[in-house]
Amino acid sequence: MKLLLARSPIVQCCRVLAIALTVFLFVVGSFPAAGKAFPGVMHWLAHFATYAVIAFAYGMGWQKQPAMLVAGFVAALGAIHEYSEIFTHGHTFEIADVLVNSIGAVVGVAFERVVVSAT
């Protein structure tokens, strides 16, 4: 697998993007209306896509870390985000959302590793 150098502009941009996406997610996710933006199955697709994109960015930014460590970190962010919604939305902890977030994180990092190894 080819790795981009840690000091390369692409890696640095991905690190900034990963952190910015995480902050953006927590800020936007703190609004009660955010949970109602995507009803039904679209809710889970939004969770999956969001965490896949975030995991892809973290994977690109920290390529030397094991894929499962990156995916686990992003999945943990998803669980923390769900927990924080108890206080910002006043609703219960949703295990299904945590599972979908975790699956998105694994798929995002796996896709990142495939893309990087193909370059």
Side-chain angles (χ1 to χ4, degrees), residues 5-66:
L5 296 175
R7 300 268 186 234
S8 79
I10 293 172
V11 170
Q12 294 300 316
C13 286
C14 287
R15 288 179 177 181
V16 169
L17 178 64
I19 294 167
L21 286 170
T22 303
V23 171
F24 179 76
L25 173 70
F26 275 84
V27 170
V28 170
S30 69
F31 296 110
K36 298 173 184 155
F38 300 101
V41 175
M42 291 301 292
H43 176 80
W44 286 331
L45 289 174
H47 274 265
F48 175 83
T50 298
Y51 282 90
V53 168
I54 290 171
F56 185 89
Y58 273 101
M60 287 291 293
W62 284 274
Q63 294 174 16
K64 289 186 177 182
Q65 298 302 318

